[in-house]
Amino acid sequence: MAKIHEVARAAGVSISTVSYALSGKRPIAPETRRRIEEAARELDYQPNAGARMLAGRRTQIFALTEPFRADTHAPAHMAFVLATSIAARKYEYDILLLTEEEASAGMRRVASSGLADGVLVLDVAPDDERVALARRIALPCVFIGVPDDHEGLVCVDLDFEAAAALAVDRLADLGHRSIGLIGHPPASYVRSNFPPRVRRGLEGRAAELGVDCAVVLPEADGPRRTPVRAAVRELVEGGATALVLHCDDTSHAVALDELAALGRRVPDDVSVVSVGATFDTSAFHPPIDSVPLVPSASCELAVELAMRMVDGGDVPAAVHLIAPEYRAHGSTAPPPSASA
């Protein structure tokens, strides 16, 4: 990487003049500035981040706090990391990924060192330790997720309650009066903010419509997913004519496999809808209707709000919910009794 003295030599000026021209600290003659900028481009010179901070300039970096744990489902989490990185690059920003399991540690370090212009918060827990810290630090913070205590925060997320309700509406309109939810393992309902919201949305709309709703939260047990198979049997043998899946991709595949093993066809015997999936449910056999969680939608809005805050714009504390969208792939139909 080129050094500042190489830019100075190529432009025929002093090092201090290069510094002043690129930092904007002092007025420089237009022709001199043009030569300096041209030399910097040709040499691919990038000012040192530390020097930019000392000069009071932006770092062009957002910190992304995303604690990695032993049970982290990497594909879903990395989908959000990638989407955030792509959104940030549209503003010529890079991402500094903070992965400490003690989620507030990296966030505190960034805030005290000036390494970033703002913080984006992922994998938000209902009772998230980063909430109190976000209220104390001077850096702009945007949560991609909604903690229970979100007063004074800027949050962005899919409207999970509405997404679950949309799935119930679809099934109820087809005539289903008994549905079952296969959710994430129980620990997820303490650790993450969105599983409880899906459950509340589903149970609430089912109650409004007079639809029976049973919920099973299978424990995680490795690749065989025996608890998922047991959940499918329990719900179907208990009379559910439709299943709502809010779980990872492997559990989706296992649920479909178990339905086939029971001799239940989708959608002729049992309808299936996926809620909150970050993966392509049309790739399953058979394809599954979905109310998806689209990482790019949440991350683009979060980065846009963070940029407005960095620019000094007025961004009131609020929860920004993204409206859900139903994507039909042929996995729902009237229940057998209604079509007979």
Side-chain angles (χ1 to χ4, degrees), residues 86-98:
I86 293 172
R89 284 311 308 160
K90 294 178 182 178
Y91 297 92
E92 298 185 350
Y93 265 67
D94 291 309
I95 292 296
L96 173 64
L97 185 57
L98 309 174

Side-chain angles (χ1 to χ4, degrees), residues 163-198:
L166 195 57
V168 175
D169 288 344
R170 170 77 170 197
L171 295 169
D173 287 346
L174 289 170
H176 292 274
R177 310 310 301 168
S178 179
I179 64 176
L181 169 68
I182 297 180
H184 288 279
S188 298
Y189 292 75
V190 176
R191 188 181 65 237
S192 298
N193 76 97
F194 59 91
R197 293 162 57 199
V198 169

Side-chain angles (χ1 to χ4, degrees), residues 15-65:
I15 291 175
S16 60
T17 300
V18 173
S19 178
Y20 294 147
L22 297 181
S23 69
K25 285 292 185 178
R26 293 187 184 180
I28 301 295
E31 176 58 24
T32 303
R33 181 183 297 278
R34 184 195 64 76
R35 294 203 316 272
I36 292 170
E37 292 175 347
E38 184 177 287
R41 282 195 301 271
E42 290 177 353
L43 294 171
D44 193 25
Y45 172 71
Q46 300 293 330
N48 178 270
R52 288 200 303 267
M53 287 185 283
L54 290 173
R57 298 181 64 198
R58 295 183 183 178
T59 65
Q60 298 298 122
I61 293 171
F62 282 129
L64 180 64
T65 165

Side-chain angles (χ1 to χ4, degrees), residues 260-290:
L262 293 172
R264 306 299 176 96
R265 297 166 299 167
V266 177
D268 298 336
D269 301 315
V270 178
S271 291
V272 179
V273 181
S274 174
V275 172
T278 57
F279 43 86
D280 182 10
T281 62
S282 69
F284 288 103
H285 300 287
I288 303 175
D289 286 17
S290 176

Side-chain angles (χ1 to χ4, degrees), residues 228-261:
V228 174
R229 295 180 183 278
V232 171
R233 291 195 301 274
E234 175 185 339
L235 292 170
V236 171
E237 292 172 359
T241 59
L243 298 180
V244 176
L245 305 181
H246 181 54
C247 42
D248 64 25
D249 50 348
T250 301
S251 296
H252 277 61
V254 169
L256 292 177
D257 184 63
E258 186 62 22
L259 286 172

